[in-house]
């Protein structure tokens, strides 16, 4: 007979083993056991809401082919869901239906910032054409952020204008830094000015921090777990403290993964120049408290728990939070359910996060 002590000991051992062998298949099963499963059409307080996922990815083989032998190592990243970034329309639509997602705003994480101008421009040209073609084939289900050759800001300005005015794309997806140069650098001002002029948002998606590769090595995929949200936090903080948001008050930014750590610890940003003035540039006088610039930033909802959503909304306001899943990567398999589970939100706040705010931001019919 198994004693209670033996049973508990075996259970503890199994749990420990689970921490080792638990993979995304098991995570998907866990997500699948959630009791509340939303379906299309999404209804909030008896009213239909168009659910809009602003954080969804794709790739195109035609763009990767320009990299030659490097294509597989750059575009076939060894993570779950990577193959599904090359969209099979039937499968992607079926998944969106199962997630209760009406529309995805597609983006491509930059892998071309360290390439020469001509190659990067060719990659971006193909991607934007393919994105426009895909979205035109299913305009009720897909929209997209353009890719930009940000290492060549003059080219990026033209790409953005073409993407928005001629290709119907809804803004641009950018990384967290460009070949070691922060977004607050004046060289990028023409790009931000063009985005402000066009009234379109820029979606910041990080790609870890190469300088921390050694510190972040080891178990836990820390380059992503810690490095990605940290890079977003750094990028946003430079835009705030270097006065970029003051220079471009109409610039709209969407920050992936809930804005990294900024939304969790923003109030510290209001104090450094009082405590350590020598660490601050006396030539830069911000027009507002650093935390007030959060009202110029939108944050996706990819932060995993209702408590995290509650805290983010308390910090930045429900009006600044948008639905995000990171699909096809299985971080959040049922993003709409995640918002419905957030009991701290009112029905209006849930409807705004699920889609109404995005519909206004992208000028969609809600």
């Amino acid at each position: 007979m198994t004693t209670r002590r033996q049973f508990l000991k075996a259970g503890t051992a199994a749990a420990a083993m689970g921490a080792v062998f638990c993979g995304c298949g098991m995570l998907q099963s866990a997500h699948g056991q959630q009791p509340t499963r939303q379906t299309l059409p999404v209804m909030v307080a008896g009213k239909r809401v168009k659910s809009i996922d602003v954080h969804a990815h794709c790739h195109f083989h035609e763009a990767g082919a320009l990299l030659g032998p490097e294509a597989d190592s750059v575009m076939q990243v060894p993570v779950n869901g990577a193959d599904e970034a090359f969209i099979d329309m039937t499968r992607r639509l079926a998944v969106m239906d199962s997630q209760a997602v009406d529309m995805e705003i597609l983006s491509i994480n930059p892998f071309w910032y360290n390439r020469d101008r001509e190659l990067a421009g060719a990659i971006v040209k193909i991607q934007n054409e393919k994105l426009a073609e895909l979205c035109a084939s299913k305009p009720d289900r897909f929209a997209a952020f353009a890719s930009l050759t940000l290492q060549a800001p003059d080219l990026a300005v033209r790409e953005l204008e073409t993407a928005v005015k001629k290709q119907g794309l809804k803004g641009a997806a950018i990384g967290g830094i460009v070949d070691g140069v922060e977004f607050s650098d004046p060289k990028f001002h023409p790009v931000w000015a063009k985005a402000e002029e066009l009234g379109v948002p820029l979606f910041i998606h990080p790609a870890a921090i190469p300088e921390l590769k050694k510190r972040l090595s080891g178990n836990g995929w820390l380059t992503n777990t810690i490095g990605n949200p940290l890079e977003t936090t750094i990028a946003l903080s430079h835009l705030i403290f270097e006065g970029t948001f003051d220079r471009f008050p109409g610039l709209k930014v969407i920050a992936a993964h809930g804005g990294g750590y900024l939304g969790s610890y923003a109030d510290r940003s209001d104090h450094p120049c009082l405590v350590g003035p020598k660490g601050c540039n006396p030539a830069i006088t911000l027009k507002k408290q650093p935390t007030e610039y959060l009202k110029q930033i939108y944050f996706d909802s990819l932060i995993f728990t209702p408590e995290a959503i509650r805290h983010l909304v308390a910090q930045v306001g429900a009006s600044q939070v948008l639905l995000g899943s990171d699909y096809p990567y299985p971080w959040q398999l049922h993003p709409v359910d995640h918002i419905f589970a957030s009991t701290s939100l009112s029905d209006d706040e849930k409807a705004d996060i699920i889609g109404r705010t995005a519909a206004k931001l992208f000028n969609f019919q809600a």
Side-chain angles (χ1 to χ4, degrees), residues 13 21 33 43 51 96 121 125 138 166 193 206 233 298 313 320:
F21 64 67
Q33 293 167 6
M43 307 293 291
S51 52
M96 290 168 63
K125 182 176 186 296
K138 288 286 183 181
K166 296 182 179 181
T233 306
Y298 294 89
V313 167
Q320 303 307 115

Side-chain angles (χ1 to χ4, degrees), residues 57-62 75-76 81-89 92 328:
H57 296 296
C58 67
H59 272 308
F60 296 100
H61 290 293
E62 294 87 344
M75 304 194 68
Q76 295 283 5
D83 288 343
E84 294 175 41
F86 298 96
I87 292 179
D88 174 278
M89 185 64 75
R92 180 64 69 102

